[in-house]
Amino acid sequence: MSHYPSHLTYFHGLPVHHFDGAEDEQDCGPDLPAPASVAWRLTAEWEVPFEERWSAFLDRVCTEEVVALVIGTWWQEWDEHGIDPCLDLLTAEAHRFPRLRAVFLADVESEESEISWIKQGDVSRVLRAWPGLYELGLRGAEGLVIEPLRHESLRRLRIECGGLPPEPVRALAACDLPALHHLELWLGTNWYGGDCTADDVQALLASLGRRSGLRHLGLCNSDIQDEIAAAVAAAPVVAGLDSLDLSMGTLSDAGATALLSGQPLTHLRALDLGHHFMSDRMAHRVREALGPHIPDLGLTPARRSSHRPEERYVAVGE
């Protein structure tokens, strides 16, 4: 089963509607869905540059009522500059989107670009442009910049990538996000830029522990998943969580042992340990210890049990 993300069908609880700029879609007319009823997806196409698609959207949709935006490809040929030119267009019109609550950047499938080839940019600009934003999601991490800031409203943050550099992780640890209750990071592998260390993760966990509102934490898709599991096992923030996701990485018996010998996890409603490299014996121990207490325990069969770290792999790399 492939873990590579596909195009979103729902975002921010809304069905995704692809705006294709057809000429009969005019001025919030009957051929368009109600502006607040969908997450609007905009993408460049072979003969339609993103700027043209964006301009048509501004002309034909009542943007004052739009709640969610999904940005697909913004390039027509190979992207050399990253998403910043696209962000220039979006943030310049922030005043026309007073109700915007959710943005997803780079809703891109592997046929359009491998996840680790996607060039991001300074996504802090989106948070500054919309102080009322509830949800930010993005795919890809090359060139990703997150500046330390305070944002009063952000509740959900999701970063999908094959390798997350240490700088965004450290910046998140320095951010003040008092409303944050859902955080998911795909940390990835150092083959694709995922160079953050266990120390970086521990600093982030310590920062999160100073916030009382976090309810879901995902630290996924990592080739240091055992070290992450050990850090999570000692992190105070876990006591307040409803769900924890450590899936898609290289979790082995060592990481599972750390989880079982650390702080209690039986208060969780959901724990996802899918795509792991535990032995059958250890997987059985995990089920016996946590299964009776956690209603949603995600524990798929091992990819393969291996005592050699070099034989383990993350679910999403390139």
Side-chain angles (χ1 to χ4, degrees), residues 218-229:
L219 297 171
C220 312
N221 197 50
S222 176
D223 60 5
I224 58 168
Q225 204 73 44
D226 283 343
E227 296 173 73
I228 290 170

Side-chain angles (χ1 to χ4, degrees), residues 149-169:
L149 49 72
R150 178 178 175 86
H151 195 283
E152 300 280 353
S153 303
L154 190 68
R155 301 176 184 179
R156 298 174 63 92
L157 175 62
R158 177 182 175 96
I159 300 177
E160 303 173 352
C161 66
L164 188 59
E167 291 81 8
V169 179

Side-chain angles (χ1 to χ4, degrees), residues 110-132:
S110 60
E111 290 78 8
E112 298 162 319
S113 173
E114 296 291 351
I115 195 168
S116 293
W117 301 356
I118 299 170
K119 297 180 185 292
Q120 281 287 346
D122 185 359
V123 301
S124 310
R125 299 168 58 194
V126 174
L127 296 174
R128 290 194 174 98
W130 285 284

Side-chain angles (χ1 to χ4, degrees), residues 53-132:
R53 181 59 43 81
W54 178 246
S55 178
F57 180 70
L58 295 177
D59 288 343
R60 299 172 186 173
V61 174
C62 300
T63 59
E64 292 79 6
E65 300 177 29
V66 169
V67 174
L69 287 176
V70 175
I71 305 302
T73 57
W74 55 87
W75 64 88
Q76 291 175 281
E77 298 181 359
W78 174 243
D79 175 41
E80 297 181 356
H81 306 292
I83 203 171
D84 281 319
C86 177
L87 297 184
D88 290 341
L89 296 173
L90 269 64
T91 57
E93 304 296 339
H95 62 285
R96 298 183 60 173
F97 293 83
R99 295 185 59 194
L100 190 67
R101 296 294 179 264
V103 174
F104 193 96
L105 302 173
D107 179 36
V108 174
E109 292 186 323
S110 60
E111 290 78 8
E112 298 162 319
S113 173
E114 296 291 351
I115 195 168
S116 293
W117 301 356
I118 299 170
K119 297 180 185 292
Q120 281 287 346
D122 185 359
V123 301
S124 310
R125 299 168 58 194
V126 174
L127 296 174
R128 290 194 174 98
W130 285 284

Side-chain angles (χ1 to χ4, degrees), residues 19-63:
F19 178 81
D20 62 10
E23 291 186 359
D24 60 348
E25 293 189 338
Q26 295 184 10
D27 301 326
C28 297
D31 294 325
L32 285 171
S37 68
V38 298
W40 295 88
R41 185 176 188 273
L42 294 96
T43 184
E45 296 180 23
W46 182 250
E47 296 181 351
V48 183
F50 187 87
E51 294 87 342
E52 183 177 326
R53 181 59 43 81
W54 178 246
S55 178
F57 180 70
L58 295 177
D59 288 343
R60 299 172 186 173
V61 174
C62 300
T63 59

